[in-house]
Amino acid sequence: MSKLNIGIILGSTRQGRLSPQVGEWVKNIADQRGDANYEIVDIADYKLPLLGEEDATEQATAWNTKLASLDGFVFIVQEYNHSISASLKNALDYAREAWNDKAAGIVSYGSVGGARAAEHLRGILGELSVADVRVHPALSLFTDFENPFTPEMAFKPADLHLVNLNGMLDQVLAWSGALKTLR
Ligand SMILES: Cc1cc2nc3c(=O)[nH]c(=O)nc-3n(C[C@H](O)[C@H](O)[C@H](O)COP(=O)(O)O)c2cc1C
């Protein structure tokens, strides 16, 4: 059987964002497993305007084509005002069928592990028929990053997160494989 395609979606687009560092960490660990094709999917690359504000047929088509090529997702989620970023919500709103009947895991960060953003995302994923798995690495801005809240802030995750990261990936692969049979 061919390997599943799993997109690691960077949820933030602001200049100076930390999501690429977190996404690379997930991809490195995931690639070492060798059990799926993992790729970083950067929302910023798709230059999606706010939904409906202007004609964005080309960007929307490119975004939907990328999502359609994926069997499952790992969302890199950062907490913005107790929720997900506006750019992630906008990108979620830009597709429907391309999300449906797929699985997702969440890796979040924030002052309390991005927990509130992650729980908001779970509600949205339900509406998009994305099955979000239980295991959830939640990273602290205070203890999983060096030089917190300075321009030199750098991602240095505690080793304990590896267990949850691998547990989350196990669940995403299991459900992505199962849901592929529905599509
Ligand atoms: C507009 C805004 C709102 C934020 N609100 C919260 C918040 O409610 N809770 C929290 O834990 N962190 C909050 N933060 C801190 C972010 O989680 C932190 O800056 C994180 O690095 C953002 O992800 P990014 O670097 O990938 O953009 C906020 C940051 C911004 C820019």
Side-chain angles (χ1 to χ4, degrees):
M1 215 171 85
S2 61
K3 286 182 177 175
L4 296 165
N5 298 318
I6 306 296
I8 300 166
I9 299 183
L10 306 185
S12 60
T13 54
R14 72 175 180 93
Q15 288 186 6
R17 64 198 169 141
L18 297 167
S19 55
Q21 295 182 44
V22 180
E24 278 304 321
W25 172 69
V26 171
K27 180 160 163 49
N28 285 337
I29 306 295
D31 282 344
Q32 285 168 34
R33 299 161 53 101
D35 51 3
N37 301 315
Y38 295 96
E39 66 174 289
I40 301 276
V41 177
D42 189 350
I43 291 171
D45 289 342
Y46 293 84
K47 306 262 182 286
L48 299 167
L50 277 183
L51 184 70
E53 280 207 337
E54 58 188 87
D55 178 31
T57 309
E58 216 173 291
Q59 298 96 311
T61 301
W63 177 239
N64 275 263
T65 302
K66 171 50 67 185
L67 296 180
S69 74
L70 299 168
D71 299 302
F73 314 101
V74 174
F75 287 96
I76 308 299
V77 176
Q78 43 295 125
E79 188 165 306
Y80 280 34
N81 291 318
H82 289 204
S83 188
I84 61 172
S85 69
S87 45
L88 177 56
K89 180 61 166 63
N90 192 48
L92 287 159
D93 291 344
Y94 257 98
R96 196 176 48 179
E97 286 84 359
W99 293 118
N100 292 170
D101 298 327
K102 296 178 180 176
I106 297 172
V107 175
S108 65
Y109 52 96
S111 56
V112 286
R116 296 165 292 215
E119 292 304 309
H120 273 189
L121 178 59
R122 288 184 188 280
I124 297 163
L125 294 179
E127 177 59 17
L128 290 169
S129 296
V130 175
D132 50 307
V133 306
R134 186 187 74 81
V135 179
H136 163 203
L139 306 160
S140 165
L141 289 175
F142 296 104
T143 55
D144 292 308
F145 291 81
E146 281 180 349
N147 306 311
F149 309 107
T150 70
E152 291 76 41
M153 192 164 177
F155 185 46
K156 275 272 163 31
D159 289 345
L160 61 92
H161 295 299
L162 280 178
V163 175
N164 266 354
L165 177 55
N166 279 300
M168 179 272 288
L169 291 171
D170 289 345
Q171 294 188 336
V172 168
L173 287 198
W175 281 13
S176 295
L179 287 168
K180 195 169 182 179
T181 63
L182 282 187
R183 301 196 304 275

